[in-house]
Amino acid sequence: MKNSLKVFVVILYLMFGAQVNSTFASHAAGAEISYVCIGSGNYEITYTFYRDCYGITPNTSIDIVITNDCGFPTQTLFLNQLGTEVDVINVCGTAVTTCHGGSYSGIQKWTYRGVINLPAECTWYIGHGEPARNAALSTITGGGTDLLYVYCMINNYSGLCNNSPVFNEDPILVYCVGQELLIDPPVFGIDHDSLSFELITPRTGPALSDTVTFLSGYSADQPFICSLPMTFNPTTGIFRGIPSQTDVSIYAILVNEFRNGILIGQTERDMIVTAENCNNIIPILTGINGLPNYSIDVYANQLNCFFITAVDPNVSNQTVIEYDYSIPGMTFTTSGGQPDTAFFCWTPDSIDIAFNPYWFRVKVTDGNCPFLGISARNYYFNVEISNDVDEINENNFVIYPNPVSSELKFSSLTPGKVELNLFDIQGRQVINSITTESNGVIQFYSVEKGIYLLSIKSIQSKQTIWKRIVKN
């Protein structure tokens, strides 16, 4: 990506920085607050702050203000920095950011943590306002002066000891003009409660009226000028559009957590985001098995395998797929090719049916310089009860040899018709056949060398197992 973001930030900083005192040096790029219940009315609060390295260095402790709607006194407590700050990686290894004395725009993540006590059952609000929002913001009136205020909410009715959802991945900071901007929030619900999402106007203080003022043509749900209006899905939190001009803007996503239909918690992420003229096409991730589906039904007590492929027209870039390991026991391997393909296998237990849906996250990075091309998606499992009749079982279907050079032989103990489908790492179907034979051969003479996935589906039970095949 070109350096216009860097130049734009520098110019605005020089224009406005002299008008902002040191207390309001515009280092606030984003923030979020989450909590974990540790019992007896005590909660561990985590405040995550994203610092623009052009601005001042944050303090090693920050104040949080705790209010309520039950008439209890307001509390002010301090959270101390946890460990040391870390870079939010958005540049290649040879590019040095402003966080380390370089010229490329850099963001650091600072984490603060402490324990609060809530003395009674009530609805509690925990918030912090950090001075001041980034002066580079081109879509609001208060860049360089507005506070960046975020909050979380705890409803501990009936002695409820609840944990908030958490944003468990750093935000993507840079998108490209003329390419899709897709924010798929990395929200993990520790307690597997029901979640919904809202776009809210970024806050400048604790009152509902304390919000930023967008310039004409921009708003909380339209933070960029796009060829078509941006869209937002309140069920998934996906926010998307295609920017048609460069801008430095902000968005705020509020996560609502429900249990038995009652709102028990809230958390939000307020974040700077840039639409930039790019020298790169951002890679994307396919749906499951190369299809445009980001959720899949899987069976308990049965091996379920699938793949996700990176798509990147820039053949010189090496894509790398990462997985957040949020599902215990799910295996993850990658092809290491260009583009990269990730292979997953998981055998859920019967107890996993109770925790639907399961959620995991996959990210792809392309190695472009100076700014990396990054995208990420959430994927979902719905765990179902296995059909005991004519169940297709991993041990009932044997294939050999693997790796294969010419003929892949199989032996099946599964009754009835079985459908065999072979997919390459691009998700394209290479072989399709239906057989009733208990022993047979799949011809691999015309199949190119590489890694493939073979799906074996029982026509009667509709169940499928997957096997990874290597062609020599």
Side-chain angles (χ1 to χ4, degrees), residues 320-342:
V320 176
I321 295 178
E322 300 173 76
Y323 158 59
D324 68 353
Y325 291 95
S326 57
I327 297 184
M330 187 164 77
T331 63
F332 165 66
T333 57
T334 61
S335 66
Q338 170 54 22
D340 200 10
T341 295

Side-chain angles (χ1 to χ4, degrees), residues 34-39 42-46 161-164 166 190:
S34 61
Y35 56 86
V36 173
C37 179
I38 56 179
N42 295 312
Y43 290 81
E44 184 179 73
I45 305 298
T46 300
C161 188
N162 178 58
N163 308 299
S164 75
V166 295
I190 300 173

Side-chain angles (χ1 to χ4, degrees), residues 82-113:
L82 180 68
T84 57
E85 58 275 12
V86 296
D87 289 356
V88 177
I89 303 299
N90 69 325
V91 296
C92 65
T94 59
V96 182
T97 71
T98 51
C99 302
H100 302 282
S103 58
Y104 294 104
S105 179
I107 302 290
Q108 285 181 334
K109 180 169 68 174
W110 291 59
T111 303
Y112 301 82
R113 185 168 292 167

Side-chain angles (χ1 to χ4, degrees), residues 266-436:
Q266 291 178 320
T267 187
E268 68 159 314
R269 169 176 277 180
D270 183 314
M271 199 64 217
I272 195 170
V273 63
T274 298
E276 173 66 36
N277 289 319
C278 300
N279 66 352
N280 182 35
I281 298 177
I282 303 298
I284 62 173
L285 293 162
T286 67
I288 293 171
N289 295 329
L291 302 173
N293 299 319
Y294 294 84
S295 64
I296 187 173
D297 295 333
V298 297
Y299 291 96
N301 304 307
Q302 177 179 309
L303 182 67
N304 301 270
C305 297
F306 60 95
F307 65 91
I308 295 167
T309 297
V311 178
D312 189 350
N314 302 295
V315 295
S316 61
N317 288 343
Q318 177 61 60
T319 55
V320 176
I321 295 178
E322 300 173 76
Y323 158 59
D324 68 353
Y325 291 95
S326 57
I327 297 184
M330 187 164 77
T331 63
F332 165 66
T333 57
T334 61
S335 66
Q338 170 54 22
D340 200 10
T341 295
F343 301 91
F344 301 83
C345 285
W346 184 42
T347 304
D349 294 326
S350 299
I351 193 173
D352 292 319
I353 298 170
F355 295 107
N356 285 339
Y358 268 87
W359 173 95
F360 67 100
R361 187 168 178 85
V362 179
K363 181 173 73 173
V364 59
T365 306
D366 68 1
N368 183 73
C369 280
F371 288 98
L372 300 172
I374 307 172
S375 64
R377 292 302 302 263
N378 298 329
Y379 297 83
Y380 302 89
F381 282 144
N382 298 301
V383 183
E384 299 183 353
I385 299 174
S386 297
N387 186 347
D388 292 330
V389 179
D390 295 334
E391 180 176 345
I392 185 168
N393 187 282
E394 172 77 6
N395 297 323
N396 288 346
F397 201 98
V398 179
I399 59 170
Y400 59 95
N402 189 17
V404 59
S405 57
S406 56
E407 293 183 340
L408 185 70
K409 299 178 181 179
F410 66 85
S411 176
S412 173
L413 298 178
T414 299
K417 293 182 179 180
V418 173
E419 182 178 7
L420 305 173
N421 285 287
L422 187 73
F423 297 92
D424 66 13
I425 61 174
Q426 304 292 329
R428 296 171 297 198
Q429 187 181 69
V430 178
I431 294 174
N432 170 256
S433 66
I434 295 177
T435 180
T436 58

